[in-house]
Amino acid sequence: MRFKRVTLTNFRGIESATVEFGAHLNIVFGPNDLGKSTLAEAIRAALLLQTISTEGKKYAPWHKGVTPAVELVFVDDGGHTWRVTKGFRTDANIESTLAHSKDGSSFTVDARGREVDQKIREKLAWGVATPGGRSGTRGMPRSFIVKALLSEQTEVGHILESSLAEDSDDSGKLRLKKALSALAEDPEVRKVLDAAQKERDRYFTSTGRQRSGKSSPLRPLQEELKAHREEKDKLEVEWRAAETARKELSELEWQLQAKAHERDAKAGDLEDLETLRVATQAHDAACKALEAAEARLAEIVRIEQGVTDLRARLGNAEEALEESKTAATERATKTEEARATKEAADQGVRAVESESGTNEALLEKARAERRISEIERNLEQLQTRQAKAAEALETLSALRSARENSSRVQEEIASAVQAEESAKAAMTAAGGDIDRLSSWRRLQELAALKAALESKQNAQHAAQKTQAEIDRLASVISETSSSIEALAAPDRNAFKATSALHHERELLRGRTSAGLEVHLDRLTSLAIQTTADDAQAIVHEEATDSVEVEADRTMTIVLPGVADIRVATGTKELREQLRLVEARWRDEGEPLLERAGVATIAALEAAVEERERLQRTLHDAELKHRTQLEELRRQEAAAVGLTEAARDLAAKHEETSGVDPNELVAELRERHPGIDLATLSEAALRATLRTRERAHQEHREHLIELRAQAGQAQKEVAALEEQTQQDEAAAGKLPSEEAETVARLIEDATAQLQQVQTRIAELEGIAQKAAAEAEQRAQQAARHLAAAQASEREALEARDGALATVSQLKGALSEKEERLAQVDRGAAESAVRTARTALEATPAPERMVDEALVEAAQASLDETVRELVTLERERENQRGALRQTGGLVVRERLIDAERAVERAQEDLRTAELDAEAVKLLLETLKEAQQLSSQHVGTQLAKPVEERFRTLTNGRYDRLTIGPELSTGDIRVAGIVRGAADLSVGTREQLATILRLVIAEHLRAPIILDDHLAQTDRARLGWFVDVLKAAATKTQVIVMTCRHDDYLAPPDWPTNGHPIVDRGGGALRAIDLEQLVQRWRPENAREAATAAFS
Amino acid sequence: MTGNEEDIVALRLLHTADWHLGAPFQSFPERYRTKLKRARLDVLDDIFGTADRERVDAILCAGDLFDAPEPGDAWWKALLKKLRALPWSDRRTVFLLPGNHDPFLTTSVWAPSHPFRQGLPDFVEVVDRPGFEAPIGENAVLYSSPCEAVSSSKDLAKALPKREPDDNRIRVGMVHGMTFDFDGHQSNYPIERDVAADRGFDYLALGDTHSFGNKASPGKPPMVYPGTPEPTSFRERDPGHVALVFITRRRRVMFEKKPVARWRWRTEQVDTIEDLRRLDQDDLKQTVLRLQLSGHFQPDAFHEAEKLLEKLAGDELNDGAAGGLLREGALELDPSDVSTFFEASPTEIRQTAQRLEEIRAGGGHEGEVAERALMQLYRLARSV
């Protein structure tokens, strides 16, 4: 903030003045009584004094009828320009305004009247309460900051006796603490705080509510978890459906098996019934067949008798025929012999042609060919043996591989078992860790409970003591309050106002106190009444004597029925002023004195001092009372739950009974060497346990798989061993020996085969020679055959005659025999025997079964089969359901989804913990900072002490400033002294430095109204430099009558140029004399005339 | 044909599976998820590049190519773009098999009406029916069946046709399912051991398990899981490969594990500052790191550890030293030495630390909050 311009009109002795300030160091100079302090006062009034305040009246010039007014333009920290305008006159409706401007020239009114002060005080935050409140002050308010920045000329050292505790509200305290906290704050702490705040703001809103919208870092994690959970739930439903389908399928399989057994049983029963039914039918049929066969046999016997007769007759005819046949046969025999001879010859030719050799050769060849066949068969057998031997060898090789594979798998199993056991042990140990940690925590809790119980008991005792002290303080407060009330003394401000009024009254009385004396001679008897000044009226009874009346200022003489004579001293204006003051005294002063029960202002002051003393006592007592009450509340709060704590302790004792703390701690230390047990986190242990469980599960799954492989490998080994044994048993020797033997035999057989084939070739040469000889023998035999055939034809013709006779008889016999043949006695007899045998073979069954019984059994079987079909259909449905639900695919996805949920839960929990953690961190940091900032006085003391030490060449150091910024001690040449003990000049310098430092940190303007008047030139020179340095940070306005203390001659303004800027605005010299229009007598008279016209 | 001629490689295959495009990686913080999801797509360039270099006849993609039957548009569009950019035409065929994660459903990307299917180039074939049969290379045939539901007890391999006695072709099977089967575990799309031998396959290409491995008995035709080409979790063993398969004319089969993963997943236990310093020395740009944090750190070590962790993790604006970071557990500050740290601090900070320490020592939730507040104060004081 900085002041830009101030304009005074009719303000004290200044008729008008406008001063434009520079942004940095301003040296405002002028001779004494020019109005420098008035200027400072005007600025204070513009900012702090209510227009309706009676204190404003003192700004009115002694000329009546004009309204003192001030207009102040300032720029706030945000760069906005403000203009405040105030007129001070209680009996006139003078409006004050507050306006703002963006461009510094055109203004918009923001507030009027009472609201102006409210807004300005809020904006300044200088520890001045807003008007109208209970803590509001009347008159010019004073606060620590006001004293620092706008101290009056005579109040230079007041800052050293003040503190923030005296402010009427906390705004100044807060503002200063904030500014000084920033000073006190370590940059590293600020960075950490900012970073923590930033992190906290990610999770929480400004009201402390956890963010839940899209901006929340937890939101994506929550959404991810939700999505994973939904996916997992969906898959679980699918998996359950698959499991249900699988179980139902399994149940159906069992039902199907049972129904199939039922069907098989019924089918067996039906088969038995069918057999019985067939046996019944067969028995009936056998009986009928026997009867028919016996009848047929009797008929055949009759036909046989007729045949016998005919055969006798035929015998005779045939004898004749035989004789002719004999002759023909002899001839035919010869023909046959010739044919045989020829046939033999032809056969010899064919044999030679086809067999190419003699019989021996043929035999040998045949033998050779048989030999070849044998050898080839032998070879085939050998090749078969060879193949078997090769297979046996392969099997043996496979057996070796299988054994190696089995051994390898066994080794892997051993290793996996070891790994699984290790993992299991690690898992068990991790589980044990959690239990141990839990027990250890319970022990810790037990210790904490013991401590808490003790603390509560102590708190209870302390609370009893505190209560006693509170009772005592309450009594003090009550008594003191009663005393204050009884005293009925006004507060200091009211007293000051009353005192000022009294002073003014006395002054006016003095000015009007000219002294009056009236000597009244009553010429006629006349009663008169006289009143002198403020005294009671005196009635003079009727008489004719003289009456003398004396008064200081006024006198009234009442001549009843004649005249009322009023005499007063002084000018009319003075009298009017006095009248007004008297009226005010009556309204304000006298009631105050009356209430206080005192007669004089001095007595009132004594009463006020007594009141203040009592108030201090009351304040101290109330403060202590509050402190003690707070202490009591704290102690009571600390003691709350004493019984429960005792009960909890007992319960915890019970809970931890049997736990040996030393043993437990030893186990935990052994398990977690080098780690502080308090740092062990159950979450971490659980995470470790989960990791171990997963590892164990993986090892276990691996082991199961390996065992399955081992089982399979063993089966393979067993199968191959069996095969090998069979091979060895079949071969009677080892496969390798068998293979060698067979190879040798094949070699031998192949050699034999070659020998036999050579022999066959030799035999074929011999066969060609034999063929030519056989051809000659065949031609000779053909000729003998032709002669024999002619002789045979003659014999045959004789035989044919006899043959005709026989033929007739045979015709008849044939007819009979044909009939006989048709009936076949043997068959008939056989049929009878067969029928009997059949009858014997088909005895009547144990149970006669008819078709109806079989049909009923068939119906029952059909029903069972239908049920079976229904069950099979249901099974197919269930298989279909299982196919739809997915089985193992769903299981795989479910496992993935469960892992995803687990991970998302962990992530969210971590993020939630982080959110809570960052909140806790920020709160704890702020608490620590708060604790630290309560001692900002120490921080403030540093720069003040540093400058003061420089100023005094190290003579002064170790300045102490309290938490409320009350100045404490300072060390002077090694001896600690109070600030009050310093010389006037030193106090003035220390106060100025302190005020400058405060102004620098508030970035607020400071007015030094001749505040270094007691400072020697050497130190003043140093101060000028300090002021220049300070003015780089904030606006400094120095009022002085010795401009050459601050300004070099070149910087002095000249006539007509009241303002000189130097250093690019760093320094502004203001010759106030050229800017101020003071009241001149003629102006005063004109104003007075205007006022009373 | 001579023995040497019969040893000529008649068929070259690249066998891959379990791409899991669009897998959500829910366990990871958001900013890593995108990175890990993209990695699954990036590795396809290496797979297709390997196929080019090895001049394979076909690429067998054995299921779970997408993480879900209806992945986001971005994923199928990205795959489609990559496939369409391949200049293979009729040189080699890519067979895509629906797995149990991305089964063949009417609403899935495999549906004929889906823009993904419609946009596929000619050399890409989708196994969209049971008993799928297609010729591959010289005298070789592929049999396959898709998963048609997310779960089933059907053995898809066992349902494939058996080798006829006079069938001398190279027979390759491709199915998606589990060979891992023992009591207490549910099997999804079970695959019988040595079903390849039973069905007369020379090689059975499998998908589902994320680790590389041959599940056939010794001496039997291979039944190979190539594993996922980019790891998807810390539980997987030996992921990050494809299988290169070579089959000779005499049907001798050789296969090779070929690394393609760009990322490595590591789990590290951090108990001391030394553990973190060691990690700081490693190049972890392509590493997804799981740190299992435990132990208490003295203030200086704690500060350094936090800095190293920040360096590893990066932040929203900057990538960290580690490609991805998952923290389990937390660093714990050992406050026993904190008071020493604050000795030289301004009074307010010292008093704050002292007060927080008092609350922390009280334990409970407030103690935990105070401990974190102390850590925050420590950080702030260090940072200013």
Side-chain angles (χ1 to χ4, degrees):
Chain A
M1 176 189 175
R2 65 183 171 83
F3 300 134
K4 203 170 172 188
R5 181 178 67 243
V6 65
T7 302
L8 285 69
T9 309
N10 302 326
F11 202 93
R12 285 195 186 274
I14 296 176
E15 184 182 1
S16 68
T18 295
V19 179
E20 299 269 356
F21 296 107
H24 302 287
L25 179 59
N26 294 270
I27 306 297
V28 183
F29 66 91
N32 288 333
D33 208 22
L34 178 65
K36 298 189 293 298
S37 296
T38 302
L39 200 65
E41 181 69 14
I43 291 172
R44 273 195 296 275
L47 289 174
L48 301 168
L49 190 63
Q50 288 182 260
T51 51
I52 56 167
S53 171
T54 52
E55 201 170 331
K57 290 183 181 58
K58 70 182 180 187
Y59 303 143
W62 58 271
H63 328 84
K64 292 185 175 179
V66 288
T67 301
V70 62
E71 179 190 283
L72 176 68
V73 178
F74 63 94
V75 181
D76 67 12
D77 293 337
H80 298 293
T81 303
W82 295 85
R83 185 185 69 196
V84 57
T85 310
K86 283 184 179 177
F88 298 95
R89 186 169 170 184
T90 51
D91 54 350
N93 187 19
I94 302 300
E95 194 178 54
S96 59
T97 59
L98 177 67
H100 82 274
S101 169
K102 289 180 181 172
D103 57 6
S105 56
S106 59
F107 286 86
T108 306
V109 173
D110 278 290
R112 295 176 188 280
R114 192 185 182 90
E115 209 185 334
V116 170
D117 292 294
Q118 186 178 339
K119 279 209 161 188
I120 291 174
R121 290 180 187 187
E122 284 173 359
K123 181 168 269 307
L124 294 175
W126 282 358
V128 178
T130 51
R134 287 174 63 189
S135 56
T137 54
R138 292 189 175 82
M140 180 66 80
R142 294 285 189 274
S143 71
F144 186 79
I145 294 179
V146 171
K147 286 176 187 171
L149 302 178
L150 303 180
S151 186
E152 289 182 28
Q153 191 178 37
T154 55
E155 295 177 343
V156 61
H158 285 197
I159 192 73
L160 300 178
E161 295 147 17
S162 302
S163 79
L164 288 164
E166 296 159 19
D167 284 3
S168 54
D169 86 355
D170 288 337
S171 61
K173 188 186 292 185
L174 292 173
R175 186 167 174 198
L176 255 175
K177 282 198 171 180
K178 191 176 171 189
L180 292 170
S181 295
L183 169 75
E185 201 169 68
D186 189 292
E188 185 181 335
V189 176
R190 175 41 54 196
K191 281 181 187 168
V192 170
L193 257 172
D194 288 348
Q197 182 72 48
K198 197 174 167 189
E199 191 61 16
R200 181 248 182 224
D201 290 348
R202 287 177 62 226
Y203 292 103
F204 299 95
T205 64
S206 57
T207 57
R209 202 163 41 81
Q210 197 169 54
R211 289 185 191 281
S212 57
K214 286 182 181 172
S215 61
S216 168
L218 300 180
R219 183 67 174 269
L221 296 171
Q222 286 162 342
E223 285 176 353
E224 190 176 352
L225 177 60
K226 190 179 164 200
H228 285 316
R229 276 191 177 142
E230 284 172 357
E231 177 69 12
K232 177 176 158 272
D233 292 346
K234 190 174 77 121
L235 289 168
E236 272 178 348
V237 169
E238 287 181 22
W239 172 242
R240 276 199 295 275
E243 278 294 280
T244 306
R246 200 169 64 79
K247 282 176 188 162
E248 286 180 7
L249 183 61
S250 174
E251 180 62 28
L252 279 171
E253 295 282 6
W254 281 108
Q255 287 181 16
L256 267 168
Q257 278 186 16
K259 195 54 79 180
H261 285 146
E262 186 185 334
R263 180 201 58 193
D264 293 347
K266 283 186 176 176
D269 290 348
L270 180 63
E271 202 175 317
D272 292 346
L273 283 174
E274 185 67 28
T275 306
L276 284 171
R277 187 184 66 77
V278 169
T280 304
Q281 284 179 344
H283 180 72
D284 291 346
C287 288
K288 286 176 185 168
L290 181 60
E291 283 174 15
E294 285 174 343
R296 182 71 182 148
L297 184 61
E299 176 63 23
I300 289 171
V301 168
R302 280 193 301 274
I303 296 170
E304 280 179 342
Q305 190 59 49
V307 169
T308 305
D309 293 344
L310 277 173
R311 279 181 180 162
R313 288 169 61 195
L314 182 57
N316 295 331
E318 282 179 337
E319 281 177 7
L321 178 60
E322 281 303 316
E323 287 173 0
S324 60
K325 273 186 179 176
T326 304
T329 303
E330 286 171 355
R331 303 285 169 78
T333 303
K334 285 183 180 173
T335 303
E336 280 303 312
E337 284 172 0
R339 187 177 288 126
T341 304
K342 183 176 184 296
E343 190 69 22
D346 289 344
Q347 200 172 355
V349 172
R350 282 199 300 275
V352 168
E353 281 173 355
S354 63
E355 295 172 10
S356 303
T358 62
N359 282 345
E360 283 179 10
L362 286 172
L363 283 171
E364 188 175 351
K365 188 183 174 190
R367 280 197 300 276
E369 283 172 347
R370 275 198 304 278
R371 179 67 185 143
I372 285 172
S373 298
E374 281 171 13
I375 292 169
E376 282 177 344
R377 273 198 305 278
N378 192 24
L379 265 174
E380 272 177 25
Q381 285 170 357
L382 286 171
Q383 279 166 347
T384 306
R385 277 178 68 188
Q386 190 179 34
K388 280 184 182 171
E391 278 178 14
L393 278 172
E394 276 182 24
T395 306
L396 199 57
S397 167
L399 177 59
R400 282 195 204 101
S401 300
R403 277 178 178 153
E404 283 170 11
N405 184 41
S406 178
S407 302
R408 183 185 54 74
V409 173
Q410 287 300 343
E411 282 168 13
E412 283 184 23
I413 284 175
S415 159
V417 164
Q418 205 171 356
E420 193 263 352
E421 281 170 359
S422 300
K424 191 175 180 179
M427 181 180 76
T428 310
D433 278 352
I434 293 171
D435 295 340
R436 278 189 283 276
L437 180 63
S438 177
S439 298
W440 187 75
R441 288 261 159 86
R442 279 199 291 275
L443 284 173
Q444 295 293 103
E445 284 165 13
L446 178 67
L449 283 172
K450 275 183 188 167
L453 184 62
E454 275 177 25
S455 167
K456 285 181 194 303
Q457 285 167 340
N458 292 339
Q460 196 180 40
H461 294 146
Q464 286 164 356
K465 284 183 187 171
T466 309
Q467 185 60 54
E469 178 64 10
I470 287 168
D471 294 344
R472 188 188 69 75
L473 287 168
S475 167
V476 170
I477 290 167
S478 171
E479 287 167 11
T480 312
S481 298
S482 302
S483 301
I484 291 171
E485 203 172 325
L487 200 58
D491 64 17
R492 174 62 69 178
N493 288 334
F495 169 73
K496 279 184 181 173
T498 306
S499 175
L501 184 62
H502 181 262
H503 179 72
E504 190 177 359
R505 176 171 169 253
E506 290 302 311
L507 195 67
L508 286 169
R509 280 189 169 192
R511 288 174 70 184
T512 54
S513 180
L516 290 170
E517 183 182 342
V518 173
H519 184 88
L520 187 68
D521 292 329
R522 288 186 284 189
L523 301 177
T524 60
S525 179
L526 185 65
I528 61 172
Q529 181 181 314
T530 62
T531 307
D533 295 327
D534 305 325
Q536 290 287 322
I538 300 169
V539 176
H540 303 271
E541 296 299 330
E542 284 185 20
T544 55
D545 56 354
S546 300
V547 174
E548 284 191 353
V549 184
E550 287 183 1
D552 288 338
R553 297 176 303 282
T554 60
M555 181 183 291
T556 304
I557 301 168
V558 178
L559 304 174
V562 180
D564 288 351
I565 301 162
R566 295 186 188 87
V567 182
T569 61
T571 63
K572 185 179 179 182
E573 288 80 7
L574 279 174
R575 285 200 302 276
E576 180 59 23
Q577 279 185 16
L578 180 60
R579 188 186 63 75
L580 289 172
V581 168
E582 290 288 5
R584 281 182 56 203
W585 177 251
R586 276 195 301 280
D587 294 344
E588 298 171 13
E590 285 177 355
L592 209 61
L593 291 170
E594 195 178 332
R595 274 201 300 278
V598 295
T600 64
I601 199 77
L604 184 63
E605 186 169 16
V608 167
E609 281 171 359
E610 176 60 11
R611 178 181 186 273
E612 285 175 344
R613 188 189 65 76
L614 287 171
Q615 274 182 327
R616 279 197 296 277
T617 306
L618 179 62
H619 178 73
D620 289 347
E622 282 176 342
L623 200 62
K624 283 182 185 166
H625 187 258
R626 270 204 303 277
T627 310
Q628 290 297 321
L629 270 177
E630 282 172 11
E631 181 64 15
L632 179 64
R633 275 198 291 277
R634 192 185 61 73
Q635 289 161 344
E636 283 176 345
V640 163
L642 185 63
T643 318
E644 290 82 353
R647 199 168 55 236
D648 289 350
L649 182 62
K652 193 60 75 181
H653 258 303
E654 201 171 317
E655 227 177 81
T656 53
S657 65
V659 178
D660 182 347
N662 295 331
E663 193 180 323
L664 186 65
V665 168
E667 279 177 6
L668 280 167
R669 291 234 161 93
E670 189 184 343
R671 295 270 313 141
H672 303 279
I675 290 173
D676 181 2
L677 296 183
T679 66
L680 275 178
S681 151
E682 188 176 328
L685 290 177
R686 285 204 183 283
T688 306
L689 176 61
R690 282 198 295 277
T691 307
R692 302 278 189 259
E693 281 174 345
R694 273 198 292 275
H696 175 245
Q697 181 63 21
E698 285 182 7
H699 283 301
R700 206 162 66 84
E701 286 173 4
H702 181 48
L703 187 58
I704 288 169
E705 195 174 337
L706 283 173
R707 280 184 173 146
Q709 287 179 10
Q712 193 58 43
Q714 280 171 352
K715 276 186 201 168
E716 282 167 10
V717 168
L720 288 167
E721 279 175 347
E722 192 183 345
Q723 183 63 44
T724 307
Q725 283 168 2
Q726 284 174 3
D727 291 343
E728 283 178 11
K733 59 183 79 166
L734 292 174
S736 55
E737 292 171 358
E738 170 71 357
E740 283 174 17
T741 306
V742 170
R744 204 165 50 245
L745 288 174
I746 286 175
E747 202 177 322
D748 293 347
T750 307
Q752 285 173 11
L753 186 63
Q754 283 174 351
Q755 285 173 2
V756 174
Q757 283 170 342
T758 309
R759 180 60 189 152
I760 285 175
E762 288 171 7
L763 288 172
E764 280 175 352
I766 296 167
Q768 282 172 359
K769 188 179 172 186
E773 290 171 357
E775 184 63 34
Q776 285 177 352
R777 282 195 296 275
Q779 287 170 1
Q780 192 177 3
R783 286 191 295 274
H784 287 302
L785 178 61
Q789 282 174 335
S791 176
E792 187 188 5
R793 273 192 300 274
E794 287 171 6
L796 284 174
E797 285 170 4
R799 184 203 60 185
D800 289 346
L803 196 60
T805 305
V806 172
S807 179
Q808 285 173 350
L809 287 171
K810 279 187 176 175
L813 181 59
S814 175
E815 192 181 344
K816 284 283 181 190
E817 284 178 339
E818 193 174 343
R819 284 185 61 197
L820 187 61
Q822 283 173 352
V823 295
D824 190 0
R825 177 176 180 163
E829 285 173 347
S830 172
V832 170
R833 283 194 301 275
T834 304
R836 281 184 183 143
T837 307
L839 186 59
E840 285 168 6
T842 54
E846 56 189 17
R847 178 181 163 209
M848 302 299 278
V849 173
D850 61 6
E851 196 69 29
L853 273 173
V854 174
E855 281 175 3
Q858 181 67 52
S860 174
L861 175 60
D862 290 347
E863 178 59 26
T864 305
V865 169
R866 274 195 296 279
E867 286 170 2
L868 193 60
V869 168
T870 305
L871 283 172
E872 280 174 343
R873 197 174 298 125
E874 280 181 31
R875 181 180 64 178
E876 286 312 306
N877 286 342
Q878 283 304 331
R879 280 182 175 163
L882 191 58
R883 279 197 290 275
Q884 290 304 314
T885 49
L888 285 182
V889 175
V890 173
R891 181 68 190 146
E892 285 167 19
R893 288 182 176 153
L894 180 58
I895 289 169
D896 281 350
E898 282 169 349
R899 288 195 174 149
V901 166
E902 201 175 289
R903 185 187 58 74
Q905 274 174 334
E906 192 62 35
D907 288 351
L908 180 59
R909 185 176 170 278
T910 305
E912 284 172 343
L913 266 181
D914 278 342
E916 284 186 69
V918 77
K919 192 177 180 187
L920 174 65
L921 172 60
L922 189 63
E923 286 168 0
T924 315
L925 270 169
K926 282 185 173 173
E927 275 173 24
Q929 195 194 30
Q930 178 70 20
L931 278 171
S932 176
S933 69
Q934 284 171 3
H935 302 290
V936 289
T938 313
Q939 303 300 327
L940 180 63
K942 280 183 195 169
V944 175
E945 181 195 315
E946 191 179 312
R947 290 187 191 182
F948 199 54
R949 196 168 52 235
T950 311
L951 175 69
T952 59
N953 290 323
R955 185 172 154 75
Y956 292 81
D957 63 3
R958 301 267 178 95
L959 174 67
T960 59
I961 297 179
E964 297 292 338
L965 304 188
S966 57
T967 307
D969 301 326
I970 190 164
R971 197 170 67 169
V972 187
I975 299 166
V976 176
R977 299 176 65 182
D981 300 333
L982 304 177
S983 70
V984 175
T986 308
R987 274 172 59 78
E988 163 182 287
Q989 291 149 15
L990 179 61
T992 304
I993 290 172
L994 175 59
R995 291 172 57 205
L996 265 176
V997 170
I998 291 170
E1000 279 174 2
H1001 287 101
L1002 290 178
R1003 301 274 174 183
I1006 180 170
I1007 296 177
L1008 301 176
D1009 188 3
D1010 246 348
H1011 286 161
L1012 295 169
Q1014 301 296 323
T1015 303
D1016 61 48
R1017 283 197 177 276
R1019 288 191 177 181
L1020 195 59
W1022 177 87
F1023 255 108
V1024 171
D1025 291 338
V1026 168
L1027 292 175
K1028 284 178 180 170
T1032 61
K1033 296 178 185 171
T1034 192
Q1035 187 182 40
V1036 179
I1037 299 170
V1038 177
M1039 310 283 191
T1040 181
C1041 56
R1042 299 200 307 261
H1043 62 286
D1044 51 345
D1045 285 350
Y1046 297 88
L1047 299 170
D1051 300 334
W1052 294 356
T1054 54
N1055 279 339
H1057 298 92
I1059 292 175
V1060 171
D1061 283 329
R1062 290 286 184 266
L1067 171 68
R1068 171 170 285 195
I1070 302 171
D1071 181 0
L1072 197 60
E1073 199 166 11
Q1074 294 188 59
L1075 295 172
V1076 168
Q1077 179 74 42
R1078 291 191 63 79
W1079 280 102
R1080 294 191 302 276
E1082 57 271 29
N1083 291 343
R1085 271 197 299 281
E1086 282 169 17
T1089 306
F1092 292 103
S1093 64
Chain B
M1 194 179 291
T2 65
N4 286 341
E5 284 173 332
E6 287 196 332
D7 283 334
I8 290 171
V9 173
L11 185 66
R12 294 164 190 269
L13 301 171
L14 186 149
H15 169 200
T16 176
D18 296 279
W19 298 347
H20 286 277
L21 297 176
F25 295 101
Q26 283 182 322
S27 307
F28 285 87
E30 181 63 41
R31 66 195 173 91
Y32 292 134
R33 286 186 206 156
T34 310
K35 202 187 270 190
L36 295 175
K37 284 182 196 173
R38 283 184 186 155
R40 314 210 63 70
L41 202 59
D42 295 341
V43 76
L44 299 187
D45 295 335
D46 292 331
I47 294 174
F48 297 143
T50 304
D52 248 343
R53 282 191 300 280
E54 298 293 339
R55 296 176 287 112
V56 300
D57 299 296
I59 299 178
L60 309 182
C61 308
D64 282 358
L65 308 180
F66 295 103
D67 196 55
E70 296 164 64
D73 285 358
W75 298 107
W76 65 257
K77 281 181 180 172
L79 176 58
L80 187 59
K81 189 177 172 189
K82 283 192 186 296
L83 289 169
R84 288 172 72 91
L86 295 171
W88 289 349
S89 184
D90 56 353
R91 273 193 288 152
R92 67 180 56 96
T93 312
V94 178
F95 294 96
L96 305 180
L97 174 68
N100 65 321
H101 270 261
D102 54 351
F104 183 85
L105 304 173
T106 52
T107 53
S108 68
V109 289
W110 311 117
S113 59
H114 196 281
F116 175 70
R117 273 296 295 277
Q118 296 202 332
L120 287 172
D122 291 343
F123 61 83
V124 179
E125 286 200 44
V126 174
V127 177
D128 58 0
R129 59 192 176 278
F132 176 92
E133 181 180 345
I136 41 171
E138 180 191 340
N139 195 32
V141 64
L142 171 72
Y143 292 97
S144 183
S145 277
C147 292
E148 293 178 297
V150 287
S151 175
S152 173
S153 54
K154 200 187 287 182
D155 186 336
L156 295 176
K158 212 167 180 183
L160 294 175
K162 221 171 176 175
R163 183 188 285 273
E164 295 295 331
D166 56 349
D167 185 356
N168 294 317
R169 294 175 302 170
I170 296 170
R171 293 177 96 243
V172 176
M174 175 168 72
V175 287
H176 188 90
M178 300 171 70
T179 56
F180 181 64
D181 186 17
F182 62 92
D183 288 346
H185 282 72
Q186 182 187 342
S187 286
N188 195 19
Y189 286 106
I191 295 172
E192 193 177 278
R193 187 170 282 272
D194 292 333
V195 69
D198 177 60
R199 298 280 99 184
F201 287 117
D202 298 302
Y203 180 86
L204 185 59
L206 300 176
D208 190 47
T209 297
H210 286 199
S211 305
F212 192 97
N214 177 14
K215 299 294 175 184
S217 300
K220 302 286 184 183
M223 296 169 61
V224 174
Y225 283 110
T228 180
E230 271 300 350
T232 60
S233 87
F234 294 101
R235 286 169 288 163
E236 293 160 356
R237 280 190 298 280
D238 204 19
H241 302 92
V242 295
L244 286 171
V245 187
F246 308 96
I247 306 178
T248 63
R249 286 178 179 167
R250 73 163 82 201
R251 305 203 330 249
R252 197 167 142 251
V253 180
M254 295 158 284
F255 62 90
E256 174 185 324
K257 186 164 77 173
K258 180 84 177 174
V260 289
R262 297 181 176 192
W263 290 81
R264 186 176 168 217
W265 290 46
R266 274 172 71 180
T267 298
E268 293 289 340
Q269 180 74 30
V270 175
D271 295 317
T272 66
I273 189 66
E274 293 304 326
D275 295 334
L276 280 171
R277 284 179 188 151
R278 272 195 297 277
L279 280 173
D280 189 44
Q281 300 301 312
D282 292 350
D283 180 3
L284 301 169
K285 276 284 171 206
Q286 291 298 116
T287 300
V288 181
L289 199 57
R290 175 168 66 170
L291 294 183
Q292 294 173 332
L293 304 169
S294 61
H296 286 70
F297 290 71
Q298 298 290 322
D300 283 344
F302 182 83
H303 179 70
E304 185 185 349
E306 282 210 317
K307 291 284 173 200
L308 288 173
L309 283 175
E310 281 169 17
K311 187 178 167 192
L312 283 172
D315 54 32
E316 294 299 329
L317 299 177
N318 304 296
D319 283 341
L325 187 69
L326 198 63
R327 289 167 63 156
E328 290 179 354
L331 292 180
E332 299 289 336
L333 177 68
D334 180 359
S336 57
D337 202 32
V338 166
S339 52
T340 314
F341 170 77
F342 288 116
E343 253 175 14
S345 297
T347 312
E348 292 89 334
I349 291 178
R350 212 167 52 245
Q351 286 172 346
T352 302
Q354 198 176 346
R355 177 66 191 133
L356 291 175
E357 174 54 26
E358 284 166 12
I359 301 172
R360 192 200 64 76
H365 178 69
E366 285 182 356
E368 204 175 348
V369 171
E371 184 171 323
R372 291 200 76 82
L374 203 56
M375 282 158 65
Q376 287 175 348
L377 177 63
Y378 173 76
R379 282 194 201 105
L380 292 175
R382 288 292 298 237
S383 64
V384 298

